[in-house]
Each structure stands twice: as structure tokens, then as C-alpha cells.
């Protein structure tokens, strides 16, 4: 056994060298037939945002597809800087009433200043998500390469790199199995041609590297310190090399393999994280167990297990929006040319890629998809690559139910369960209130306090919004076990707001104070305010849902009554002087410093909530449309993603498609189709995927509306497997913009109204029943 330490500088240098070498070999492309479910490229990735992601919800990889030098960058979803900590500002109990007084007196800038001193977290920043390391593969003697192609096949969940070198066709596969919790890399040459490769692991972390048993490379370390919080979380990355017909030569931190027909590398990463307040796990034992079991299973069984599990989830949905001339191009070129209008299939691929990313970054663990899903190569990623709760974490889950991936919701529920514990302590310490509260951000240590600065983070509604997300699975699936788990969290949040809402001396309504309309400055030198429209909308949902859940579960009648009574005292929506939906209690929108702000928080009522609809509240819908027009279409990636959903809810498919064109553009989509905030932030992928689905099917308010916002550029197409609230699934075909056939299946039996344009049909279905409808002269009829 050999063991030695590498310092961070060494490892950084080796990673840079890898980047430079990836392009060393010359390539010629071969053009594969277009496939609606493939991302593919004719050259290796020379940047991280060109590499292709793999993941099982917990363990993630970015595959570069290099020829002479290949790199798989690796993440594990619990690996964050620091260790358990509580950053509650010790002055918060004392500062809060003073800040509240200043806000009600209209002294907003003073309130913000005092809040920064007394309410904002210490340390001010939260802990950053960390990369674990890299698998580096050096292949000597690969000259004269041709017919290069690397791809991610979404129907299989596998990244494949293939090319010819001399007379050998090389094939490299990477996937991460959720069944076996292991990353699998297989390197092979065709016709039994031998493969030679020098394998090593590296890490940008301070760590020890050793090679054990002649075939296993191990990196061990602890999380880095940050913001004065000590790094204490142990991590381990382990790779076992299996090459039965070859020779393995072990060296410090690496293994040289020669003369083998194929090499399989099994990779596992783990940390000591068990819960936000418990890091006593043993990553080495976990990795050893995973790898021993995987090795005993063998490559063929691992791949078959992955395929079966992956297809069970991914295969539920199909979407066809038509094909076009550009569909056969490599994916980066499709993005660059999407605005030519000759590639409707790329929008369908965007939905399916969103589904792929969600199932690859949110399952089998307590960590939901963070700002980058699970993929991050930086020690100091933007916004710490954690969870921002004033849009980003919620947006990640917009496609989860509609696009038939309920399993991905579980980690979000776990996060909120944790936050209800840390947030209960904060409610007590800061407000002396019952229940729980979470502000604008959280990290793996489940911090609930407001970080960064009051202008961004002094928004006590993070929990309320997350609970709206978690209410959706109940609406879609009607699973009482889910509701029973959710209800105590809703109850705790409601109790907090019942105890802390204040009577606004200026209006008499009950309001949050202090708060902000996420990150948007009003005209009075701050964002800090009382009772912004979004808070009232969130509270209307929370109180109504809590009361409804209490009724269903036959419990807490008094609390339910109190919720509904408080709901009636919240400020109503107001229409301002420009005809817009007011963002604040005062008619301040048109004087705000940035009327094109990326956040559209006051439009929460239109989407994701259904408090405003074109049918039921037409005046408010008109005002929301005005607000959206004033804001404009262009924004950050997620800002665009939200706007697609909003235009879909306004039933304006052509406008929604104009916004899609902004997203499917190199400004907002990297070559690997990752969303560009910029920088990479995954929320836009999920918001965009949900928005496209929302254009095809809307299912709020007891209706299933077919093609509610179909743009003229998708005259024909089909989908199947999209879910409808109430426990239904929908399949649909359309031609010339007209429904040809629709199939509505009920999972648990129930009533619904199916709507297409002005035509509607009321249906009552038995559990397991499918009703087929067709479109006839603009009307829906039973087939
Ligand atoms: C919110 C947004 C930013 C960014 C950050 C992670 O603060 O306002 O645009 O997405 O989250």
C-alpha cells in the first residue's frame, strides 16, 4: 500500500493541464441520424459548460469526452464547506421591533441599515457546495483519430464517447446508477483490440491520495473552512479498476492499465453527512461497501439495473413538437441556430433534458437540486451553489409533477422537514414566536437566517413558498400519506405567521414586516417594506391549504378557523395607475429604479399559483399582463423561464414562444444546454421545461385544458404521460393546431372537466379507466 499527500496547488495544475490536452487530438466528425432524445457533439469539451452531465440524484459527473486525455469531474450532493453552525444574529430579538417601527414609519433605508446590523446572519455568507474531485484518464498513442462523436442519450441515461484511432473504434461509456449508487465508466476497443490507459484521481480539495490493493485509488479529506466556520465534514472518493484480461501497475495515486480489451472503473463518493446536525457517518465504509457490491455484480448487471431503473422514470413521458432542417446538427449548433425557426424539436428536447436533469439531481438523498443541480467544479461557486428560496429552489421543482417525476420531490420534502427544525429555533430566537420560519437561502446545514444583506434576504417567506411546491404533489396524486407528512410543516408555518403578522397602521391590513418583494428596490431607497403583494399571495395559499389539509385530516379545527380568519385580513390585490398589478401596497411600480427587474414576484398569483386566471379573475389577469409587459421579456435564465410559464397562463402561445427563443439562444443556454443565468444555474432549465409543458397542458382549478397556449410554430405534434392535477394522465395528438385525439387516464378515479378552446366535456372516470376523445369541427367529443 502506498500513501502520500498532494497539496491543492499540485492538483489545480494537473486540472489545467488536462483542459489544455483535451483538444490535442485532431477530430473529424461523423453525422449521426437525428434523434429526438440525444445531445451530441463532434468534438471534445474544452470547457465545463460543454461537458455532459450524468447523475443519480446524489452522485454526479461531468464528462468531457477527451480523446488522449479524458476527465470526469465528480460531485457528491452533501459535500459543502464548513460544518454545522448557527449564524443567528445575537441582536435580532432586540433589533426586530425597531426595524418594524422604521418600516411602518416609511423610513425604509434606515430600516434596511439597522436590519443589516441586527438581523442579518453572522457570518454573513452561507457555506458553499464543493467539488469532490476528478477521474483523469490518459491514453497514450491515440493518433490519427477520426469519426469522433460524444453524446448523451436521454432514453438510456448514458454518456458515450466514440472515435476511430487507426483501425480501432474506441468506445467509452459513463453512467451513474441509482440502483447501485455507483458511477460506472467503461473503456473498450472494438474487435477485442487492447486498451491502454493511465488512471488517476485528483481533487481541488486539501486531501490525501493513496492507491490500495493494487487496483483502488482513494482520496480522503475534510471539507474546507469558510467564513470562519471550521471544515469538519469528512469525505472520500474511491475508484476501483477492473480489467480482468490486462495488467495493472499501481503507483502513488494512480493505476496504469495495459493489454486489456476493456476496463471498468467503479467510482463512489461519500461524506460523513447524515443530517444537518450530524456528520458522524463513515464515508470510507460506505464507499467500500458500494464498490464491493458493484464489483461482485459486474458491468453487465450494473448496466442492466441502471437501464431498468432509469427507463422506469424517464420513459413515462414522450413529446413531439415536429422536426426541422436543423435537427440533425450537433446540439451546440442547434442552440446557436434555434432562432432560425427550423428546429421545433429542440424545445421538446429541452423538456426531456429538464426531466433528465431533475431525476439526475434530486433523488435517493435528503438534498434537493441546488442552484446547479448537483454539478459544480468550483471551490467558490456563484451564490455558493446552495438553495435560494425566493424563486430558484422552487422553480427547480416546477416540472416535477407535471412532467411525471414525483420521485424527485422527496428530497425537497426532506429539506423542508429539516428547515422546520432550524426555523423553529429561529422563530423563537428572533421573533419569540411559535412555529417556524425560513428566509431567503439555506445550505446543507439548513441555516434559516437571512444572509448576505437585507436588500436581498430580509424576506421571511422561504418556507411558505416551499410549502406551496410541496402542496402540488397532493393535488396531483391525492396521496394521504404525503399529506400527513406535509401537514405538520404547514401547521408550523401557519402558526408562525398567525403570531407575527402585524396590523399595518397605514392600511389596517395584516402584513409581514419586515420583508421585501424579492430583491426589487422600491422608489424609497431600499427593498425593505411591509406586506408586498407576493407575501400576501403566498399567505393566501398557505392559510387556505393549511385549513383544507386540517379538514381532510380531521384535525385542528381551531387553527383552520384562525387561518381562514387571518386570510380575510390580508391586503387584497390592487391595480395601479399604469393598469399594472401592484407589486407593493403603495402604487410604486412605475417609480421603482428597475422596472425591468428579473424577479416578477407579484405575478406568483398567476403562476405557479392559480389565484389569478384569465377565466375567473379577468381584471387581475389583465393587470398581471400589463405588469409582465412593463417588465419585458428578457431577463436572467430563470427570469425567462418564469416568463414562459406566465405567458402560458395568459394563454398567449406566440408570446410564450418568443420568450422561449430568448432561452434557447447561446446567451441563455450553454453548449451542453445548461441554463445560463449567466453563470450556469439550473433553475432556468427547469422553469423552461415546465413552461413548455404548461403551453401544451394546464390543469389547475379542476380543469384539464388541452393546448391552452399553442404557438403557431408547433402546428402539429403529440405528447403522452404528462400529468394533470386530480390524479390524471393525458396523451394528445394535434394537427393544424387542432386536437385530433386525446386520452385521459385516471389513476384513482374522479371527475374532471376537459377543455379545448371554447369546447368542454365533463368526465367521471373510474380508477384505471382511460377515456378517449377526439376533436371534431373545433369541438371535443368522445371517440
Ligand atoms: C436570486 C436571484 C439572482 C440569482 C440568485 C442565485 O438572488 O435574484 O438572480 O439567481 O438568486
Amino acid at each position: 500500500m502506498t500513501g502520500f499527500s498532494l497539496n491543492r496547488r499540485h492538483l489545480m495544475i494537473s486540472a489545467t493541464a488536462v483542459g489544455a490536452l483535451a483538444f490535442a487530438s485532431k477530430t473529424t466528425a461523423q453525422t449521426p441520424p437525428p434523434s429526438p432524445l440525444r445531445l451530441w457533439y463532434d468534438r471534445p469539451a474544452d470547457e465545463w459548460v460543454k461537458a455532459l452531465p450524468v447523475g443519480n440524484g446524489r452522485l454526479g459527473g461531468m464528462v468531457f469526452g477527451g480523446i488522449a486525455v479524458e476527465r470526469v469531474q465528480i460531485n457528491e450532493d452533501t459535500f459543502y464547506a464548513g460544518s454545522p453552525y448557527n449564524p443567528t444574529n445575537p441582536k435580532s430579538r432586540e433589533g426586530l421591533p425597531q426595524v418594524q417601527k422604521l418600516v411602518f414609519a416609511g423610513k425604509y433605508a434606515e430600516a434596511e441599515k439597522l436590519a443589516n446590523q441586527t438581523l442579518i446572519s453572522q457570518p454573513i455568507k452561507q457555506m458553499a457546495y464543493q467539488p469532490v474531485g476528478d477521474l483523469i484518464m490518459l491514453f497514450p498513442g491515440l493518433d490519427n483519430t477520426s469519426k469522433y462523436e460524444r453524446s448523451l442519450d436521454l432514453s438510456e441515461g448514458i454518456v458515450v464517447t466514440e472515435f476511430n484511432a487507426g483501425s480501432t473504434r474506441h468506445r467509452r461509456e459513463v453512467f451513474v446508477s441509482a440502483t447501485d449508487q455507483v458511477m460506472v465508466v467503461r473503456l473498450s476497443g472494438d474487435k477485442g483490440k487492447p486498451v491502454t490507459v493511465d488512471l488517476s484521481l485528483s481533487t481541488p480539495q486539501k486531501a490525501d491520495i493513496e492507491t490500495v490493493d493494487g487496483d483502488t485509488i482513494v482520496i480522503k479529506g475534510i471539507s474546507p473552512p469558510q467564513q470562519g466556520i471550521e471544515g469538519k465534514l469528512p469525505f472520500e472518493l474511491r475508484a476501483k479498476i477492473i480489467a480482468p484480461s490486462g495488467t495493472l501497475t499501481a503507483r502513488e495515486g494512480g493505476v496504469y492499465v495495459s493489454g486489456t480489451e476493456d476496463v471498468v472503473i467503479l467510482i463512489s463518493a461519500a461524506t460523513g453527512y447524515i443530517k444537518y446536525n450530524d456528520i458522524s457517518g463513515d464515508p470510507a465504509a460506505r464507499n467500500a461497501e458500494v464498490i464491493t457490491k458493484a464489483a461482485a455484480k459486474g458491468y453487465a448487471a450494473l448496466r442492466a439495473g441502471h437501464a431498468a431503473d432509469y427507463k422506469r422514470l424517464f420513459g413515462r413521458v414522450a413529446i413531439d413538437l415536429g422536426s426541422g432542417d436543423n435537427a440533425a446538427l450537433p446540439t451546440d449548433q442547434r442552440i446557436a441556430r434555434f432562432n432560425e425557426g427550423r428546429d421545433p424539436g429542440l424545445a421538446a428536447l429541452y423538456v426531456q433534458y429538464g426531466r433528465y436533469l431533475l431525476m439526475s439531481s434530486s433523488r435517493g438523498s435528503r438534498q434537493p437540486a441546488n442552484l446547479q443541480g448537483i454539478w459544480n467544479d468550483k471551490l467558490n461557486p456563484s451564490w455558493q451553489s446552495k438553495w435560494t428560496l425566493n424563486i430558484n429552489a422552487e422553480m427547480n421543482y416546477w416540472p416535477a409533477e407535471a412532467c411525471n417525476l414525483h420521485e424527485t420531490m422527496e428530497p425537497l420534502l426532506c429539506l423542508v422537514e429539516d428547515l422546520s427544525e432550524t426555523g423553529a429555533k429561529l422563530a423563537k430566537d428572533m421573533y419569540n414566536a411559535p412555529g417556524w420560519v425560513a428566509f431567503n437561502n439555506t445550505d446543507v446545514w439548513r441555516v434559516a437566517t437571512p444572509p448576505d444583506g437585507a436588500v436581498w434576504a430580509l424576506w421571511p417567506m422561504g418556507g411558505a413558498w416551499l410549502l406551496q411546491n410541496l402542496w402540488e404533489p397532493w393535488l396531483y396524486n391525492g396521496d394521504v400519506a404525503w399529506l400527513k407528512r406535509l401537514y405538520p410543516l404547514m401547521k408550523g408555518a401557519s402558526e408562525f405567521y398567525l403570531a407575527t403578522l402585524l396590523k399595518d397602521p397605514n392600511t389596517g391590513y395584516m402584513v409581514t414586516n419586515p420583508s421585501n418583494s424579492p430583491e426589487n428596490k422600491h422608489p424609497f431607497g431600499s427593498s425593505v417594506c411591509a406586506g408586498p403583494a407576493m407575501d400576501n399571495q403566498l399567505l393566501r395559499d398557505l392559510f387556505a391549504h393549511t385549513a383544507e389539509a386540517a379538514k381532510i385530516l380531521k384535525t385542528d379545527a381551531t387553527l383552520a378557523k384562525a387561518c381562514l380568519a387571518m386570510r380575510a385580513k390580508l391586503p387584497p390585490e390592487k391595480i395601479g395607475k399604469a393598469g399594472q398589478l401592484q407589486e407593493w401596497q403603495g402604487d410604486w411600480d412605475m417609480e421603482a429604479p428597475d422596472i425591468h427587474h428579473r424577479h416578477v414576484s407579484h405575478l406568483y398569483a398567476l403562476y405557479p399559483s392559480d389565484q389569478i386566471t384569465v377565466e375567473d379573475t379577468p381584471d387581475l389577469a389583465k393587470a398581471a399582463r400589463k405588469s409582465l409587459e412593463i417588465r419585458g421579456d428578457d431577463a436572467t435564465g430563470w427570469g425567462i423561464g418564469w416568463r414562459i410559464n406566465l405567458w402560458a397562463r395568459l394563454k398567449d402561445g406566440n408570446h410564450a414562444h418568443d420568450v422561449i427563443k430568448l432561452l434557447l439562444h447561446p446567451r441563455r443556454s450553454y453548449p451542453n444546454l445548461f441554463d445560463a443565468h449567466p453563470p450556469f444555474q439550473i433553475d432556468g432549465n427547469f422553469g423552461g421545461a415546465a413552461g413548455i409543458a404548461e403551453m401544451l397542458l394546464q390543469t389547475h382549478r379542476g380543469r384539464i385544458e388541452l393546448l391552452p397556449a399553442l404557438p403557431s410554430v408547433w402546428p402539429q405534434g403529440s405528447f403522452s404521460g404528462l400529468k394533470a392535477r386530480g390524479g390524471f394522465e393525458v396523451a394528445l395528438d394535434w394537427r393544424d393546431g387542432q386536437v385530433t385525439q386525446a386520452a385521459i387516464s385516471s389513476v384513482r378515479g374522479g371527475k374532471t372537466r376537459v377543455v379545448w378552446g371554447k369546447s368542454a366535456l365533463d368526465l367521471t372516470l373510474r380508477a384505471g379507466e382511460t377515456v378517449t376523445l377526439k376533436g371534431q369541427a373545433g369541438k371535443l367529443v368522445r371517440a
Side-chain angles (χ1 to χ4, degrees), residues 371 383 388 390-392 440 519 598-599 636 638 677 681 683:
L371 284 171
W383 296 287
T388 306
N390 67 11
I391 174 64
N392 319 83
N440 198 34
E519 307 194 26
R598 59 195 181 284
H599 285 264
T636 55
W638 63 257
H677 178 288
Q681 216 172 271
D683 37 28

PDB file of all heavy atoms in Angstrom, residues 371 383 388 390-392 440 519 598-599 636 638 677 681 683, ligand 1:
ATOM      1  N   LEU A 371     -28.672  25.183  -6.716  1.00  0.00           N
ATOM      2  CA  LEU A 371     -28.627  26.144  -7.827  1.00  0.00           C
ATOM      3  C   LEU A 371     -27.998  25.543  -9.082  1.00  0.00           C
ATOM      4  O   LEU A 371     -28.231  26.025 -10.182  1.00  0.00           O
ATOM      5  CB  LEU A 371     -27.841  27.396  -7.421  1.00  0.00           C
ATOM      6  CG  LEU A 371     -28.559  28.386  -6.499  1.00  0.00           C
ATOM      7  CD1 LEU A 371     -27.593  29.456  -6.012  1.00  0.00           C
ATOM      8  CD2 LEU A 371     -29.744  29.048  -7.202  1.00  0.00           C
ATOM      9  N   TRP A 383     -23.093  32.360  -5.737  1.00  0.00           N
ATOM     10  CA  TRP A 383     -24.135  32.222  -4.707  1.00  0.00           C
ATOM     11  C   TRP A 383     -23.970  30.903  -3.922  1.00  0.00           C
ATOM     12  O   TRP A 383     -24.945  30.292  -3.492  1.00  0.00           O
ATOM     13  CB  TRP A 383     -25.532  32.298  -5.321  1.00  0.00           C
ATOM     14  CG  TRP A 383     -25.805  33.635  -5.932  1.00  0.00           C
ATOM     15  CD1 TRP A 383     -26.047  34.807  -5.279  1.00  0.00           C
ATOM     16  CD2 TRP A 383     -25.868  33.950  -7.328  1.00  0.00           C
ATOM     17  NE1 TRP A 383     -26.243  35.823  -6.179  1.00  0.00           N
ATOM     18  CE2 TRP A 383     -26.144  35.322  -7.442  1.00  0.00           C
ATOM     19  CE3 TRP A 383     -25.716  33.194  -8.496  1.00  0.00           C
ATOM     20  CZ2 TRP A 383     -26.266  35.969  -8.682  1.00  0.00           C
ATOM     21  CZ3 TRP A 383     -25.841  33.836  -9.713  1.00  0.00           C
ATOM     22  CH2 TRP A 383     -26.124  35.203  -9.794  1.00  0.00           C
ATOM     23  N   THR A 388     -31.485  28.993  -3.038  1.00  0.00           N
ATOM     24  CA  THR A 388     -32.087  30.312  -2.869  1.00  0.00           C
ATOM     25  C   THR A 388     -33.592  30.094  -2.897  1.00  0.00           C
ATOM     26  O   THR A 388     -34.119  29.449  -3.815  1.00  0.00           O
ATOM     27  CB  THR A 388     -31.664  31.258  -4.010  1.00  0.00           C
ATOM     28  OG1 THR A 388     -30.237  31.264  -4.079  1.00  0.00           O
ATOM     29  CG2 THR A 388     -32.143  32.673  -3.744  1.00  0.00           C
ATOM     30  N   ASN A 390     -36.203  32.355  -2.803  1.00  0.00           N
ATOM     31  CA  ASN A 390     -37.184  33.341  -3.271  1.00  0.00           C
ATOM     32  C   ASN A 390     -37.559  33.153  -4.734  1.00  0.00           C
ATOM     33  O   ASN A 390     -38.267  33.959  -5.300  1.00  0.00           O
ATOM     34  CB  ASN A 390     -36.723  34.767  -2.986  1.00  0.00           C
ATOM     35  CG  ASN A 390     -35.498  35.183  -3.784  1.00  0.00           C
ATOM     36  OD1 ASN A 390     -35.083  34.486  -4.705  1.00  0.00           O
ATOM     37  ND2 ASN A 390     -34.916  36.309  -3.427  1.00  0.00           N
ATOM     38  N   ILE A 391     -37.119  32.087  -5.354  1.00  0.00           N
ATOM     39  CA  ILE A 391     -37.568  31.631  -6.672  1.00  0.00           C
ATOM     40  C   ILE A 391     -36.837  30.353  -7.076  1.00  0.00           C
ATOM     41  O   ILE A 391     -37.446  29.408  -7.561  1.00  0.00           O
ATOM     42  CB  ILE A 391     -37.398  32.703  -7.802  1.00  0.00           C
ATOM     43  CG1 ILE A 391     -37.736  32.111  -9.183  1.00  0.00           C
ATOM     44  CG2 ILE A 391     -36.008  33.290  -7.848  1.00  0.00           C
ATOM     45  CD1 ILE A 391     -39.136  31.691  -9.348  1.00  0.00           C
ATOM     46  N   ASN A 392     -35.507  30.319  -6.875  1.00  0.00           N
ATOM     47  CA  ASN A 392     -34.686  29.334  -7.571  1.00  0.00           C
ATOM     48  C   ASN A 392     -34.969  27.890  -7.160  1.00  0.00           C
ATOM     49  O   ASN A 392     -35.171  27.025  -8.029  1.00  0.00           O
ATOM     50  CB  ASN A 392     -33.211  29.678  -7.383  1.00  0.00           C
ATOM     51  CG  ASN A 392     -32.979  31.174  -7.505  1.00  0.00           C
ATOM     52  OD1 ASN A 392     -33.170  31.892  -6.537  1.00  0.00           O
ATOM     53  ND2 ASN A 392     -32.618  31.653  -8.679  1.00  0.00           N
ATOM     54  N   ASN A 440     -34.382  33.684   2.978  1.00  0.00           N
ATOM     55  CA  ASN A 440     -34.174  33.657   1.534  1.00  0.00           C
ATOM     56  C   ASN A 440     -33.268  32.554   1.014  1.00  0.00           C
ATOM     57  O   ASN A 440     -33.244  32.284  -0.180  1.00  0.00           O
ATOM     58  CB  ASN A 440     -33.577  35.017   1.169  1.00  0.00           C
ATOM     59  CG  ASN A 440     -33.688  35.324  -0.278  1.00  0.00           C
ATOM     60  OD1 ASN A 440     -34.658  34.933  -0.899  1.00  0.00           O
ATOM     61  ND2 ASN A 440     -32.713  36.007  -0.812  1.00  0.00           N
ATOM     62  N   GLU A 519     -35.964  41.075  -3.785  1.00  0.00           N
ATOM     63  CA  GLU A 519     -34.761  41.707  -4.338  1.00  0.00           C
ATOM     64  C   GLU A 519     -35.035  42.956  -5.175  1.00  0.00           C
ATOM     65  O   GLU A 519     -34.113  43.528  -5.746  1.00  0.00           O
ATOM     66  CB  GLU A 519     -33.923  40.684  -5.112  1.00  0.00           C
ATOM     67  CG  GLU A 519     -33.634  39.453  -4.253  1.00  0.00           C
ATOM     68  CD  GLU A 519     -32.565  38.550  -4.792  1.00  0.00           C
ATOM     69  OE1 GLU A 519     -31.688  39.024  -5.525  1.00  0.00           O
ATOM     70  OE2 GLU A 519     -32.597  37.355  -4.461  1.00  0.00           O
ATOM     71  N   ARG A 598     -35.559  41.389 -12.922  1.00  0.00           N
ATOM     72  CA  ARG A 598     -35.675  39.967 -13.287  1.00  0.00           C
ATOM     73  C   ARG A 598     -36.770  39.248 -12.487  1.00  0.00           C
ATOM     74  O   ARG A 598     -37.454  38.365 -12.991  1.00  0.00           O
ATOM     75  CB  ARG A 598     -34.321  39.266 -13.106  1.00  0.00           C
ATOM     76  CG  ARG A 598     -33.778  39.325 -11.694  1.00  0.00           C
ATOM     77  CD  ARG A 598     -32.298  38.952 -11.624  1.00  0.00           C
ATOM     78  NE  ARG A 598     -31.819  38.988 -10.240  1.00  0.00           N
ATOM     79  CZ  ARG A 598     -31.549  40.098  -9.572  1.00  0.00           C
ATOM     80  NH1 ARG A 598     -31.694  41.271 -10.152  1.00  0.00           N
ATOM     81  NH2 ARG A 598     -31.129  40.062  -8.325  1.00  0.00           N
ATOM     82  N   HIS A 599     -36.914  39.597 -11.213  1.00  0.00           N
ATOM     83  CA  HIS A 599     -37.963  38.936 -10.412  1.00  0.00           C
ATOM     84  C   HIS A 599     -39.329  39.470 -10.832  1.00  0.00           C
ATOM     85  O   HIS A 599     -39.484  40.664 -11.078  1.00  0.00           O
ATOM     86  CB  HIS A 599     -37.760  39.223  -8.924  1.00  0.00           C
ATOM     87  CG  HIS A 599     -36.626  38.458  -8.317  1.00  0.00           C
ATOM     88  ND1 HIS A 599     -36.801  37.275  -7.648  1.00  0.00           N
ATOM     89  CD2 HIS A 599     -35.297  38.715  -8.284  1.00  0.00           C
ATOM     90  CE1 HIS A 599     -35.616  36.828  -7.224  1.00  0.00           C
ATOM     91  NE2 HIS A 599     -34.688  37.685  -7.599  1.00  0.00           N
ATOM     92  N   THR A 636     -32.632  37.173 -16.703  1.00  0.00           N
ATOM     93  CA  THR A 636     -31.691  36.071 -16.478  1.00  0.00           C
ATOM     94  C   THR A 636     -32.351  34.778 -16.964  1.00  0.00           C
ATOM     95  O   THR A 636     -33.557  34.768 -17.253  1.00  0.00           O
ATOM     96  CB  THR A 636     -31.432  35.934 -14.976  1.00  0.00           C
ATOM     97  OG1 THR A 636     -32.713  35.775 -14.340  1.00  0.00           O
ATOM     98  CG2 THR A 636     -30.750  37.169 -14.397  1.00  0.00           C
ATOM     99  N   TRP A 638     -33.416  32.095 -15.385  1.00  0.00           N
ATOM    100  CA  TRP A 638     -34.632  31.719 -14.647  1.00  0.00           C
ATOM    101  C   TRP A 638     -35.731  32.764 -14.823  1.00  0.00           C
ATOM    102  O   TRP A 638     -36.921  32.423 -14.795  1.00  0.00           O
ATOM    103  CB  TRP A 638     -34.345  31.463 -13.165  1.00  0.00           C
ATOM    104  CG  TRP A 638     -33.843  32.651 -12.384  1.00  0.00           C
ATOM    105  CD1 TRP A 638     -32.556  32.890 -12.008  1.00  0.00           C
ATOM    106  CD2 TRP A 638     -34.613  33.761 -11.897  1.00  0.00           C
ATOM    107  NE1 TRP A 638     -32.481  34.078 -11.316  1.00  0.00           N
ATOM    108  CE2 TRP A 638     -33.732  34.628 -11.231  1.00  0.00           C
ATOM    109  CE3 TRP A 638     -35.967  34.109 -11.957  1.00  0.00           C
ATOM    110  CZ2 TRP A 638     -34.134  35.824 -10.644  1.00  0.00           C
ATOM    111  CZ3 TRP A 638     -36.387  35.291 -11.367  1.00  0.00           C
ATOM    112  CH2 TRP A 638     -35.480  36.138 -10.716  1.00  0.00           C
ATOM    113  N   HIS A 677     -27.543  31.714 -16.356  1.00  0.00           N
ATOM    114  CA  HIS A 677     -28.134  32.892 -15.668  1.00  0.00           C
ATOM    115  C   HIS A 677     -27.711  34.155 -16.355  1.00  0.00           C
ATOM    116  O   HIS A 677     -28.610  34.989 -16.603  1.00  0.00           O
ATOM    117  CB  HIS A 677     -27.696  32.854 -14.189  1.00  0.00           C
ATOM    118  CG  HIS A 677     -28.157  33.993 -13.338  1.00  0.00           C
ATOM    119  ND1 HIS A 677     -27.652  35.261 -13.448  1.00  0.00           N
ATOM    120  CD2 HIS A 677     -29.083  34.055 -12.355  1.00  0.00           C
ATOM    121  CE1 HIS A 677     -28.241  36.066 -12.564  1.00  0.00           C
ATOM    122  NE2 HIS A 677     -29.118  35.346 -11.894  1.00  0.00           N
ATOM    123  N   GLN A 681     -26.880  28.184 -14.010  1.00  0.00           N
ATOM    124  CA  GLN A 681     -27.807  27.998 -12.891  1.00  0.00           C
ATOM    125  C   GLN A 681     -28.934  27.130 -13.424  1.00  0.00           C
ATOM    126  O   GLN A 681     -29.549  27.459 -14.430  1.00  0.00           O
ATOM    127  CB  GLN A 681     -28.322  29.356 -12.442  1.00  0.00           C
ATOM    128  CG  GLN A 681     -28.523  29.438 -10.949  1.00  0.00           C
ATOM    129  CD  GLN A 681     -28.849  30.838 -10.487  1.00  0.00           C
ATOM    130  OE1 GLN A 681     -27.978  31.619 -10.192  1.00  0.00           O
ATOM    131  NE2 GLN A 681     -30.112  31.138 -10.435  1.00  0.00           N
ATOM    132  N   ASP A 683     -31.979  26.399 -12.518  1.00  0.00           N
ATOM    133  CA  ASP A 683     -33.395  26.755 -12.417  1.00  0.00           C
ATOM    134  C   ASP A 683     -34.027  27.073 -13.773  1.00  0.00           C
ATOM    135  O   ASP A 683     -35.176  26.715 -14.035  1.00  0.00           O
ATOM    136  CB  ASP A 683     -33.588  27.924 -11.443  1.00  0.00           C
ATOM    137  CG  ASP A 683     -32.473  28.938 -11.519  1.00  0.00           C
ATOM    138  OD1 ASP A 683     -31.852  29.069 -12.603  1.00  0.00           O
ATOM    139  OD2 ASP A 683     -32.195  29.608 -10.507  1.00  0.00           O
TER     140      ASP A 683
HETATM  141  C1  LIG B   1     -31.571  35.241  -6.567  1.00  0.00           C
HETATM  142  C2  LIG B   1     -31.625  35.961  -7.906  1.00  0.00           C
HETATM  143  C3  LIG B   1     -30.324  36.001  -8.608  1.00  0.00           C
HETATM  144  C4  LIG B   1     -29.689  34.634  -8.569  1.00  0.00           C
HETATM  145  C5  LIG B   1     -29.570  34.137  -7.151  1.00  0.00           C
HETATM  146  C6  LIG B   1     -28.990  32.771  -7.039  1.00  0.00           C
HETATM  147  O1  LIG B   1     -30.994  36.031  -5.622  1.00  0.00           O
HETATM  148  O2  LIG B   1     -32.100  37.254  -7.763  1.00  0.00           O
HETATM  149  O3  LIG B   1     -30.570  36.399  -9.933  1.00  0.00           O
HETATM  150  O4  LIG B   1     -30.442  33.741  -9.315  1.00  0.00           O
HETATM  151  O5  LIG B   1     -30.838  34.067  -6.583  1.00  0.00           O
END
